Amino acid sequence: MHASLTGRRRVGLALLTSAALAAASVTAVTVAPASAAASATVTVNTGTSLGTIPAAGHGVNVAVYDGNMNSSPISGLLRDAGFTAVRYPGGSYGDIYHWKTHTAEGGYVAPGTDFDTYVSTVRSAGAQPVIIANYGTGTAQEAADWVRYANVTKGYGVKYWEIGNEVYGNGHYGSGWEQDNHADKSPKAYANNVLQYISAMKAVDSSIKVGVVLTTPGGWPDGIVGSGDSADWNNTVMSIVKDKADFVIVHWYPGATSAADSLGKVSQISTITSTVRSLISKYAGSRASSIGISVTELNPSYQLTTATAALFATDSYLTWFENGAMNLDWWNLHNGTSQGPATGDDGTPDYHDEGILSSGASGEPAVNTPLPPYYGLAMVGKAGSPGDTLVRASSSSSLLAAHALRTSGGVNVVLVNKDLNNSTTVSLSYSGFSPGGAATVVQWRKGATSISTSSAPSATSITLPPYSITVLKASGGGTASPSPSASPSPSPSASPSRTPSSSPSPSPSRTPSPSPTPGGSGCSATYKVVNSWPGGFQADVTVTNTRTTAISGWTVGWSYRNGQTISSSWNATVSQSGAAVTAKNVSYNGSLAAGASTSFGFTANGAGDVPAPISCTIG
């Protein structure tokens, strides 16, 4: 394995230690001594919404130095884990990678990792791309040309673009791991250049969503005022960018001193998100509520291939979603190791590898073997799908994390037993929902090399193995509509189809059923609300050619009944006159073969009910 596989990534992020975020932490959980089965109660309130699972929130990173990133098993492994986003071209490589030549200044690029091959893998997995535009050694024009190639020439519909990786690590604050060839490396210079990138990129495709790099609250160099600056990185950048970016980016590597400490780091998440949301509100004016928060790199930075990392993955991803994050990308698909295996605090192997799949390095399992964090992330995919409503769940035990989701089939309760030594018998009660008879149990436990599925006689009691992750799927009914929670409420990001949408503000009701057009016009359209929050919603419309021959253009129309107004759109030109809305294809998605489909999306103000009828005409 090339040395770059373990070298160039995010050098310096060890500075984001648990000590740096101590103010955001609470006392870590402790491992109880071995004894008889512990007991706990979990209460699920289906009437309290914490938002919805974002359309492309469940992500992972890949890197161009990884020769296995597009190998034949990868798309299936990504799909089986339920990943909906894949970030490219790999951390700090984003600031040295040139997409046109498929080269990286001073870095190694593996064969078969080019942009088109990456997109093919992502599409096969049912996910969507998240791209780092080269800020460090690139230009706004290079980024705009990439958007043109991706979305105009190839029609890939790539929506989420970051301007650089960890640009604050460019040496301006003394520590320099991120390549930055700009003479001025200050946050002011970065922000002004970001505006040029946004302008150039959106001139090519106005529907894309562009993100700006911030430092993680509580982590280095948050709060530091550099030489010649009047404020720290975050305040300087946001005071210039204001409302021009569509989302902001932080990375989260909390670090830990023990397995128990690592599992307690989830407590930092609400503090980080509320601090970032306050920063956005301070500078973005009326658009603040539509600017999302994306965590494009994260992992616990502690014993990364152990069972502890798996439990951390499930608990942290669902907690980020509950706090409104629109996209999470674990570092990394493969990463490699230069150290021999060790034993983690929990007794499972620690290969000192940040990959969720083995790289096949010395002492590791065969290449592409799933490691424990893969299973932890896969359990997030088993917990729910984009659009499912996160609802309030509370646990009586500090060693038992509980999350819950309202789905089209009932309620899924996610239970993470952090007790290393003891099984835990859990009694569950539900508000606003009446579970039916037997329940489905999806489970991963310490040491397992697969996820099991079984049945339970009821959804009101279950015994969990030590150090395990369980999704208890209950069917049943209930009339309670989720009401806004008083807690997390980061606002939604205007987000495209198959794109990270913010899962922010509470969703007042279940997603309405799709509304199809009548046939006979040469095309049909299906309208579906995929995300909602107080005062607004996000919807997708799928257009299908119903002819036996190709069509070269389409127009979809509908009228709102309750004063809704369109606020942003992508993959279509959308106009509104009074209640009437018209959406026309853009240059790259008007031509549809017989039976082929395309989609567009938008955000709007008002209630997320589905209008009818929806018309579709060709031409």
Side-chain angles (χ1 to χ4, degrees):
M1 192 67 63
H2 193 279
S4 292
L5 191 60
T6 57
R8 187 181 185 90
R9 171 181 71 81
R10 51 173 186 87
V11 181
L13 271 210
L15 295 168
L16 282 177
T17 62
S18 57
L21 280 165
S25 299
V26 298
T27 303
V29 297
T30 57
V31 175
S35 65
S39 62
T41 59
V42 167
T43 302
V44 178
N45 185 348
T46 63
T48 302
S49 168
L50 303 176
T52 58
I53 293 185
H58 186 25
V60 65
N61 278 269
V62 295
V64 291
Y65 52 72
D66 172 18
N68 294 309
M69 66 172 276
N70 294 308
S71 58
S72 56
I74 297 303
S75 61
L77 287 164
L78 293 172
R79 184 172 55 252
D80 291 347
F83 285 114
T84 53
V86 181
R87 182 178 182 246
Y88 175 94
S92 295
Y93 262 63
D95 281 314
I96 61 172
Y97 179 71
H98 299 285
W99 71 272
K100 289 182 182 180
T101 57
H102 188 48
T103 58
E105 296 183 30
Y108 169 75
V109 174
T113 61
D114 59 277
F115 176 63
D116 290 301
T117 307
Y118 150 79
V119 171
S120 177
T121 297
V122 173
R123 284 185 157 187
S124 296
Q128 70 104 36
V130 176
I131 301 296
I132 310 167
N134 186 340
Y135 175 81
T137 63
T139 64
Q141 186 60 57
E142 181 183 32
D145 290 344
W146 200 353
V147 174
R148 180 176 292 104
Y149 177 79
N151 292 356
V152 179
T153 303
K154 303 295 289 190
Y156 290 150
V158 178
K159 290 301 171 182
Y160 270 62
W161 301 78
E162 302 176 52
I163 309 304
N165 183 53
E166 292 161 358
V167 184
Y168 46 82
N170 61 9
H172 182 70
Y173 296 101
S175 182
W177 66 87
E178 199 78 12
Q179 187 68 35
D180 184 357
N181 289 353
H182 296 86
D184 186 349
K185 296 177 172 55
S186 68
K188 179 179 179 181
Y190 171 70
N192 283 316
N193 287 325
V194 161
L195 295 178
Q196 295 180 29
Y197 272 72
I198 292 173
S199 177
M201 295 165 75
K202 289 200 171 188
V204 175
D205 183 353
S206 62
S207 72
I208 65 171
K209 307 301 169 187
V210 182
V212 61
V213 172
L214 299 182
T215 66
T216 306
W220 188 92
D222 181 46
I224 297 174
V225 178
S227 176
D229 298 338
S230 58
D232 65 359
W233 180 277
N234 285 356
N235 280 279
T236 301
V237 169
M238 289 305 298
S239 69
I240 294 169
V241 175
K242 297 184 186 298
D243 63 349
K244 299 302 187 295
D246 301 291
F247 60 102
V248 299
I249 303 152
V250 296
H251 291 173
W252 186 52
Y253 294 98
T257 58
S258 67
D261 183 37
S262 182
L263 294 177
K265 295 301 182 183
V266 69
S267 63
Q268 296 177 353
I269 293 172
S270 62
T271 300
I272 293 171
T273 51
S274 63
T275 301
V276 173
R277 183 54 59 191
S278 295
L279 182 76
I280 296 170
S281 298
K282 181 178 179 180
Y283 293 109
S286 61
R287 256 204 94 215
S289 64
S290 66
I291 294 174
I293 299 173
S294 183
V295 189
T296 58
E297 286 185 24
L298 78 158
N299 69 40
S301 270
Y302 186 78
Q303 298 185 353
L304 288 159
T305 64
T306 62
T308 299
L311 272 60
F312 175 96
T314 303
D315 194 19
S316 65
Y317 262 55
L318 291 172
T319 302
W320 276 111
F321 290 154
E322 290 164 353
N323 280 271
M326 69 182 206
N327 166 245
L328 309 170
D329 302 307
W330 188 273
W331 186 274
N332 193 13
L333 184 69
H334 302 96
N335 204 69
T337 180
S338 58
Q339 302 180 53
T343 301
D345 295 353
D346 58 25
T348 59
D350 177 17
Y351 298 112
H352 307 287
D353 189 331
E354 296 190 76
I356 62 172
L357 303 177
S358 173
S359 62
S362 178
E364 289 192 330
V367 66
N368 291 327
T369 299
L371 301 173
Y374 172 86
Y375 294 112
L377 293 167
M379 290 298 287
V380 176
K382 305 294 184 186
S385 302
D388 287 343
T389 301
L390 296 141
V391 297
R392 176 74 68 194
S394 58
S395 167
S396 66
S397 170
S398 62
L399 290 177
L400 177 67
H403 306 272
L405 301 98
R406 189 86 187 240
T407 74
S408 59
V411 171
N412 294 347
V413 183
V414 183
L415 302 168
V416 181
N417 185 7
K418 302 178 183 181
D419 193 325
L420 181 59
N421 300 300
N422 303 302
S423 59
T424 300
T425 298
V426 183
S427 299
L428 299 98
S429 61
Y430 300 81
S431 173
F433 174 77
S434 298
T440 299
V441 178
V442 181
Q443 191 171 84
W444 181 85
R445 63 177 70 188
K446 172 189 168 184
T449 56
S450 64
I451 293 171
S452 66
T453 302
S454 60
S455 61
S458 79
T460 58
S461 180
I462 186 171
T463 297
L464 310 173
Y467 242 49
S468 62
I469 307 162
T470 302
V471 179
L472 182 64
K473 298 187 174 184
S475 60
T479 58
S481 296
S483 60
S485 166
S487 46
S489 59
S491 310
S493 161
S495 160
S497 172
R498 300 295 298 164
T499 305
S501 76
S502 105
S503 137
S505 306
S507 171
S509 61
R510 289 290 300 148
T511 300
S513 300
S515 174
T517 61
S521 61
C523 63
S524 65
T526 300
Y527 179 118
K528 182 179 180 180
V529 175
V530 297
N531 197 3
S532 59
W533 53 90
F537 63 95
Q538 175 189 336
D540 286 348
V541 178
T542 300
V543 179
T544 302
N545 177 11
T546 58
R547 288 189 166 185
T548 57
T549 57
I551 62 174
S552 58
W554 46 263
T555 301
V556 175
W558 66 86
S559 291
Y560 283 122
R561 298 184 292 268
N562 297 306
Q564 295 93 332
T565 56
I566 304 294
S567 55
S568 67
S569 62
W570 48 90
N571 288 346
T573 300
V574 180
S575 59
Q576 183 170 3
S577 178
V581 178
T582 302
K584 295 181 178 292
N585 65 275
V586 289
S587 60
Y588 52 81
N589 65 359
S591 297
L592 296 176
S597 299
T598 189
S599 62
F600 65 91
F602 58 90
T603 57
N605 301 311
D609 50 312
V610 176
I614 311 293
S615 67
C616 185
T617 57
I618 61 173

